Amino acid sequence: MTEMNMVKALNNALDTMLDKDKSVILIGEDIAKDGGVFRVTDGLYAKYGDERVVSTPLSELGIVGMSIGMAMDGLRPIPEIQFLDFIYTAMDQIVSQMAKIRYRTNGDYILPMVLRTPYGGGVSGGPYHSQSSEAYFAHTAGLVVVTPSNPYDAKGLLISSIESNDPVMFLEPKRLYYSIKNDVPDNYYKVEIGKAKRILEGDDVTLITYGPMVPLVKSVVQKNNINADVIDLITLNPFDKDTVINSVKRTGRAVIVHEAPKMFGVGAEISATIAEKAIDYLQAPILRVTGMDIPVPFILEDYYVPNEKRIMNAINKVINY
Amino acid sequence: MIEEDISKDDIINAYRNVILERTLDKKLLGINRQGFLPFYIPNMGHEALHAAIGMALRDIDFFYPYYRDLGSDIARVGLDFVLAQMFSTEKDNELGRDMPLHISNKAKNVGPVITTVGGHLMAATGVAYSHKYQKKPGIVVATFGDGATSTPDFHVAMNFSAVYSLPILFICENNQWAISYPVEDQTKVEISKKAEAYGFTGIKIDGNNFVEAYHAIKNAILNVEKGSMPILIDAVTYRMGPHTTADDPNKYRKTIINEGDPLDPLTIIENDIKRMKILNDEEISNIKNEINDTVSKEVERYEKMNKPGKETLFKNIYENDPWYITEERGEIQ
């Protein structure tokens, strides 16, 4: 066990898998000598060389497209997109190829690849370094979408993603890169894809969240002595329906918290699933506390992102309904 | 020997490929008009180039075709495989999931054809990276139309493949039309010249002349292998038919090469064969009759073949079905 932040844990996972499997290749902008702008690949170029830790010309389309070809040919590429905000020139590659090649060839070709990218706010990055676009990817059949909320899960989940034979969008909450540390095993271990974690247990209300909002939700619940189930989804698609539904059936109340905007987002899907499968158990409307439906603002970001007051308002509303 | 590396049998094989593609192409267009094939992408005009691609590629090479490569595909994976896919039959490797001519065959080193123009060029580049990394023999050959040269994918693939010195041959099947848009409006430089901007060789060839195209492609494959750098071939041909069965070219152009014209690639190779006395008129007529019979018989067979059933609908979306796929499977009516 070593105490690590998320960046170190991710670096450790990549190191573990590069060492274990020669088919693992990292590819992205500034990831080699520079170690990536967030330092996730620090030291790996020196250890594994430029054939396996590949810095690229400045083209997200190129990074994702090249990874698709590598994966088709039997490698396990791990492309890094420097910020999720820059991914859109690769959207055709992601949606038309990465997501569809397995289905379209009936499994003749599979794409075991993990697209890593930092997302969300927390670095005063304005509209082009702060986006939470997970819904686009979660809405696309064929993609697995995961997001860890702490260093331990980050390492185990990245290892699971690398070993998965499905293409995985691995979304890293950049606001948590350096802000929390916990004990991370030095060796290989996995955190299961498709399984949520109940990180706090309680009977009055279910809080469903993931990625960048998990530590905030946890601290709000603890600080205000709320008797709540707090669920960290970890996987967005396919999300762990059973853990969510079982909890809501017990508490009768659900609040969903995410940093992404509300309209047509992940919260809407969770909320609809609860309504479809557990409406008879509900004692209050399902509420969502989310980012605002505007681009992420540069100087007023704190008003965009969910905060303690907004989360408590929603909790109080459903508890006192 | 016709040329130092083309035997008499080679040119007869090429001629048979050209006749097969022309005959099948016309047959498929015809049955589309009769309503028995919902969609088709005509290939008329590309036959000599396809025969050259089909013959120049070796089994060790990875072929990443685009959607107008009927003859190249048949040479690579066989008529049965192509027709099983064409008619979306239960024998189709892809279970009828994509449109006619969108083949895929991993066992034979053929990448999955994608509809989005140029969308496969970076994947082809990735396969080339992987080949180099894994020290696999052979190179990657990717084909595309002239319209693809305007896509970002084309430029990024040209750049990445040069930056990493990858074993890849880009063949532009320049048929001079991207649906209604002519190549002289698509770009203001010769397509072959674009290679220079990325640091490698570009070659312009007559794609309607089998012998020239075969030589050029074969040599380019060897040079890519030797020189560890990509090459771009601009193979100039002509789309004699519509873009697809949904297109009417009379709206935007006057067709300048019609079937049987001196510039029709079939006429060119047939005249060569007669001039060089490789086949006489009777032998030519026998080949045409034989291929015509085969095409009629095989098309009828595949046309009548069963289609994949609705129980196949959810197969292979992920390695394991998510819970909602299991639910949706139960919702099929």
Side-chain angles (χ1 to χ4, degrees), chain B residues 106-124:
Chain B
K106 192 178 181 193
K108 296 221 163 146
N109 278 334
V110 178
V113 173
I114 184 161
T115 302
T116 53
V117 170
H120 62 310
L121 296 176
M122 267 317 302

Side-chain angles (χ1 to χ4, degrees), chain A residues 66, chain B residues 122 124-133 139-140 157 160-170 224 227-231:
Chain A
M66 188 141 106
Chain B
M122 267 317 302
T125 304
V127 174
Y129 190 98
S130 171
H131 266 52
K132 188 178 175 185
Y133 174 72
I139 73 158
V140 176
F160 273 55
S161 60
V163 164
Y164 300 112
S165 308
L166 299 181
I168 181 165
L169 171 62
F170 297 102
V224 165
S228 332
M229 268 309 256
I231 290 178

Side-chain angles (χ1 to χ4, degrees), chain A residues 7-282:
Chain A
V7 165
K8 280 265 181 278
L10 291 166
N11 180 279
N12 190 270
L14 295 172
D15 193 3
T16 303
M17 294 310 289
L18 281 161
D19 185 57
K20 187 168 182 276
D21 183 353
K22 281 252 176 308
S23 66
V24 172
I25 288 192
L26 314 188
I27 162 170
E29 290 158 15
D30 308 301
I31 68 159
K33 285 181 188 165
D34 193 29
V37 297
F38 287 103
R39 311 264 83 87
V40 174
T41 56
D42 226 10
L44 300 175
Y45 167 81
K47 200 165 168 186
Y48 298 100
D50 63 356
E51 261 193 325
R52 299 188 66 199
V53 181
V54 186
S55 269
T56 67
L58 207 160
S59 170
E60 285 71 21
L61 184 174
I63 295 165
V64 179
M66 188 141 106
S67 303
I68 288 167
M70 290 170 163
M72 279 172 53
D73 200 47
L75 301 182
R76 289 184 180 270
I78 309 177
E80 173 182 304
I81 299 298
Q82 205 159 71
F83 286 82
L84 176 61
D85 313 63
F86 308 156
I87 208 165
Y88 306 112
T89 65
M91 276 308 260
D92 178 50
Q93 292 297 313
I94 295 170
V95 175
S96 303
Q97 305 237 69
M98 186 173 155
K100 291 184 179 54
I101 279 184
R102 174 193 279 271
Y103 184 75
R104 185 223 157 300
T105 68
N106 187 31
D108 197 14
Y109 284 102
I110 60 169
L111 296 181
M113 59 186 281
V114 184
L115 194 160
R116 293 182 37 249
T117 187
Y119 79 115
V123 296
S124 289
Y128 301 106
H129 295 87
S130 313
Q131 295 171 36
S132 298
S133 313
E134 57 268 28
Y136 298 147
F137 307 107
H139 189 61
T140 301
L143 299 177
V144 170
V145 184
V146 302
T147 178
S149 67
N150 60 72
Y152 176 89
D153 286 352
K155 178 176 173 182
L157 191 63
L158 184 51
I159 289 175
S160 291
S161 302
I162 295 168
E163 293 195 338
S164 164
N165 285 330
D166 294 316
V168 178
M169 296 292 297
F170 193 92
L171 307 180
E172 301 169 1
K174 69 170 91 67
R175 70 167 68 247
L176 307 182
Y177 264 161
Y178 306 101
S179 65
I180 15 171
K181 285 184 175 180
N182 55 24
D183 280 340
V184 175
D186 298 312
N187 297 325
Y188 172 99
Y189 66 93
K190 287 166 101 165
V191 168
E192 200 183 334
I193 294 172
K195 273 263 175 281
K197 285 187 181 170
R198 258 170 88 200
I199 56 169
L200 291 175
E201 297 186 9
D203 299 325
D204 292 348
V205 56
T206 300
L207 282 136
I208 302 144
T209 186
Y210 58 86
M213 290 293 102
V214 171
L216 174 67
V217 171
K218 190 178 171 189
S219 73
V220 167
V221 166
Q222 286 173 326
K223 189 176 153 197
N224 294 280
N225 293 315
I226 308 296
N227 184 18
D229 253 7
V230 176
I231 295 172
D232 179 355
L233 286 176
I234 302 173
T235 299
L236 303 184
N237 188 7
F239 77 92
D240 183 352
K241 170 209 43 159
D242 292 340
T243 297
V244 171
I245 297 299
N246 290 340
S247 172
V248 174
K249 281 182 176 174
R250 210 164 32 73
T251 63
R253 296 177 169 88
V255 174
I256 301 153
V257 183
H258 59 59
E259 187 177 322
K262 184 189 287 182
M263 289 292 110
F264 307 96
V266 171
E269 188 53 49
I270 307 288
S271 169
T273 305
I274 293 170
E276 283 176 5
K277 297 182 189 298
I279 199 158
D280 293 342
Y281 296 82
L282 288 177

Side-chain angles (χ1 to χ4, degrees), chain B residues 152-205:
Chain B
D153 307 63
F154 168 78
H155 295 279
V156 178
M158 299 273 283
N159 189 42
F160 273 55
S161 60
V163 164
Y164 300 112
S165 308
L166 299 181
I168 181 165
L169 171 62
F170 297 102
I171 301 178
C172 178
E173 299 193 20
N174 175 4
N175 67 23
Q176 305 178 53
W177 290 89
I179 305 189
S180 71
Y181 209 64
V183 70
E184 60 268 22
D185 291 340
Q186 194 75 243
T187 175
K188 288 298 168 194
V189 293
E190 294 263 0
I191 287 169
S192 61
K193 288 188 180 160
K194 293 175 191 288
E196 197 188 336
Y198 295 99
F200 56 89
T201 307
I203 306 163
K204 182 181 179 181
I205 64 167

